[in-house]
Amino acid sequence: MFELTITPALIALTVIMIMCLIFILTGVNRYVAGIRKYSLNCSTADKEATEGSDGDVGFPAVSIIVYACDDDENLETLLPQLLEQDYPANTEVILVNDGAPAGVDEVVARLKSRFNNLYMTFVPDNSRNLSRRKLALTLGIKAARYDVVALTGGCCRVPSSRWLRSMIRPIAEGKDITLGYSYQAIVEIDDENKMRYTSPLSLWKSYDTLRNDAPYLAWAIAGRPYRGNGFNLAYRRSVFFNNKGFSKSLNLKYGDDDLFIHEVANRDNTSLDLSRYAMVAVLDSDPSALFRRSKLHYAFTAKFLPAWGRRLFALSTAAWWITFCAGVALSLLGWPSVYPLIAAVVLWLVLRLTTSLTWRRTSKTLKLPFGWAGVLFFPEIVMLHPIYSLYYKIVGRKHRSANFTWS
């Protein structure tokens, strides 16, 4: 049992496992860990700047554009959060309503007695053959009085009073665009801003969300921004108008901000803010439905975006499968000796523990539930993810025409 005959096959399989382990640990894991480090650095810098009273920063006046669609219940909480931001310059909130106006009218009427910088407009009912969200944002940006706009949604919560200050600071320092982050579709936020997990599949959704977000966050940190989050985004109006708004993607219903940021963002004009003060929570009465819609929309629009990050993560998943298969083959070919089995198990455990712990720490930073269950089942989640994603691609193809405005 302890005698081992070393053969070229055993050497090759061991080398393959080691090479895959190195690729995963120094490739994808490095990017994922970098997101957490960047987020902590952003939070530290934001806190230090705020404690220093931002003495040298001249903050511009800001128009906050809120796209709402039947979100009257949440607007009762969201609008005061926006109107009471700790921000040193003038602000206004422009609510663009794309739904039944009755409930929203009542909310806005109550709040207008307290705030004179709250305004509301509507998306015309007869607007059909276009993206209503694109139209709503265009209306809001054109109506804005100030040269900088911050975008969010009626289904959001802004837990921090420093959100606007944090998002606009890079623009005040010379940038044109600030990319923010929002966490969504996995948990509900109660009235005390505490997270409540709503599904036993929260772990799977958490991994999937981070896997989709990590590439664009990592590339933005590296100075190659190519996606944006419409629930948490700020830029100068001149960027919007110089690009002729969403004119290049008017044929598409979804992916507004992804495609827009891909068109206008670059290393010099864009900053990413991942501080905990700048994060926004996205709520929905049915989180599972919101998650499904987001998956289907992105499955379609992703093909219009650069594939660098997605390919790297796809190669990482392939490396997991290769490592697993090579470990099984190494154990079988080396039997009855237990040394190949021990080597395979050790390499697999090293990969499993280091990777799952890295993802767990970053998930926690980005407000995504992961927990120790994620550490326990991480390899299975990673290896089955391509099958899960393929399902959404197949479903998306069946309803492909729904993604175009001409349908």
Side-chain angles (χ1 to χ4, degrees):
M1 180 176 291
F2 295 100
E3 294 182 1
L4 174 64
T5 301
I6 299 177
T7 65
L10 294 180
I11 296 174
L13 290 170
T14 304
V15 170
I16 289 173
M17 288 192 71
I18 294 173
M19 290 180 64
C20 287
L21 186 147
I22 293 173
F23 169 72
I24 294 172
L25 296 186
T26 61
V28 169
N29 282 14
R30 181 167 62 88
Y31 284 115
V32 173
I35 293 171
R36 177 176 181 270
K37 182 179 179 180
Y38 185 85
S39 176
L40 296 176
N41 289 341
C42 284
S43 296
T44 301
D46 184 271
K47 183 178 180 180
E48 291 175 351
T50 301
E51 291 176 348
S53 301
D54 300 304
D56 299 328
V57 178
F59 282 91
V62 179
S63 299
I64 304 174
I65 313 297
V66 181
Y67 171 70
C69 183
D70 298 327
D71 297 307
D72 51 297
E73 291 186 8
N74 189 58
L75 289 173
E76 192 86 54
T77 301
L78 171 66
L79 292 177
Q81 290 177 336
L82 299 176
L83 292 159
E84 295 173 346
Q85 284 289 301
D86 176 16
Y87 189 72
N90 291 333
T91 64
E92 65 176 357
V93 174
I94 301 175
L95 175 65
V96 187
N97 187 32
D98 182 19
V104 176
D105 277 344
E106 294 176 4
V107 173
V108 172
R110 285 195 295 270
L111 291 175
K112 273 195 170 184
S113 63
R114 295 167 50 197
F115 305 99
N116 59 7
N117 57 339
L118 172 61
Y119 308 94
M120 182 172 64
T121 186
F122 299 92
V123 178
D125 290 334
N126 58 354
S127 303
R128 289 291 177 264
N129 294 324
L130 45 75
S131 166
R132 293 180 65 82
R133 187 174 185 277
K134 287 189 178 77
L135 176 59
L137 294 180
T138 302
L139 291 173
I141 293 171
K142 286 186 175 181
R145 291 192 297 165
Y146 302 128
D147 292 332
V148 176
V149 295
L151 309 183
T152 189
C155 58
C156 295
R157 292 279 178 91
V158 182
S160 173
S161 62
R162 290 157 56 180
W163 166 73
L164 191 61
R165 182 189 290 262
S166 186
M167 286 291 292
I168 302 302
R169 182 177 291 110
I171 296 177
E173 294 173 346
K175 298 292 186 179
D176 293 326
I177 304 166
T178 303
L179 306 180
Y181 179 77
S182 68
Y183 48 101
Q184 62 176 354
I186 299 165
V187 299
E188 287 182 347
I189 311 296
D190 62 21
D191 293 335
E192 298 179 355
N193 287 324
K194 295 180 179 179
M195 293 190 297
R196 180 167 63 87
Y197 303 142
T198 61
S199 168
L201 294 177
S202 291
L203 170 60
W204 189 286
K205 294 176 183 178
S206 177
Y207 168 77
D208 184 84
T209 300
L210 180 55
R211 193 184 188 281
N212 288 336
D213 290 346
Y216 91 85
L217 294 176
W219 257 251
I221 293 170
R224 301 178 68 181
Y226 69 91
R227 278 187 66 189
N229 189 313
F231 291 119
N232 198 7
L233 185 63
Y235 48 77
R236 301 183 190 274
R237 292 172 72 220
S238 58
V239 172
F240 183 81
F241 292 124
N242 291 342
N243 192 64
K244 298 182 180 179
F246 302 112
S247 60
K248 297 177 184 177
S249 60
L250 287 178
N251 62 318
L252 302 176
K253 283 187 178 180
Y254 311 112
D256 320 335
D257 302 291
D258 280 351
L259 301 177
F260 175 73
I261 292 300
H262 175 45
E263 294 164 8
V264 302
N266 57 55
R267 179 188 299 270
D268 298 323
N269 72 354
T270 303
S271 177
L272 174 68
D273 192 336
L274 287 182
S275 71
R276 64 179 182 272
Y277 311 106
M279 293 184 183
V280 168
V282 183
L283 311 183
D284 195 273
S285 58
D286 187 350
S288 296
L290 177 59
F291 178 81
R292 177 183 172 84
R293 289 197 302 272
S294 299
K295 284 287 293 180
L296 290 174
H297 295 169
Y298 182 66
F300 177 78
T301 57
K303 62 186 177 185
F304 300 104
L305 300 171
W308 324 306
R310 300 198 308 277
R311 287 173 181 168
L312 176 64
F313 277 70
L315 288 173
S316 174
T317 302
W320 275 92
W321 276 103
I322 293 171
T323 304
F324 176 76
C325 294
V328 172
L330 180 65
S331 303
L332 294 177
L333 290 177
W335 192 259
S337 174
V338 297
Y339 289 122
L341 174 62
I342 293 173
V345 170
V346 169
L347 290 174
W348 181 254
L349 287 176
V350 169
L351 177 61
R352 182 179 194 132
L353 290 175
T354 54
T355 303
S356 58
L357 289 173
T358 297
W359 281 72
R360 181 180 183 271
R361 287 192 291 266
T362 302
S363 295
K364 186 176 180 179
T365 300
L366 296 180
K367 310 290 187 181
L368 298 171
F370 201 79
W372 292 108
V375 176
L376 184 62
F377 297 107
F378 187 79
E380 291 76 13
I381 295 173
V382 174
M383 295 168 67
L384 292 175
H385 186 266
I387 300 173
Y388 176 69
S389 297
L390 180 62
Y391 163 77
Y392 278 99
K393 288 184 179 180
I394 294 173
V395 173
R397 282 186 175 276
K398 292 175 62 177
H399 304 283
R400 182 175 179 273
S401 61
N403 293 286
F404 293 98
T405 53
W406 45 255
S407 64

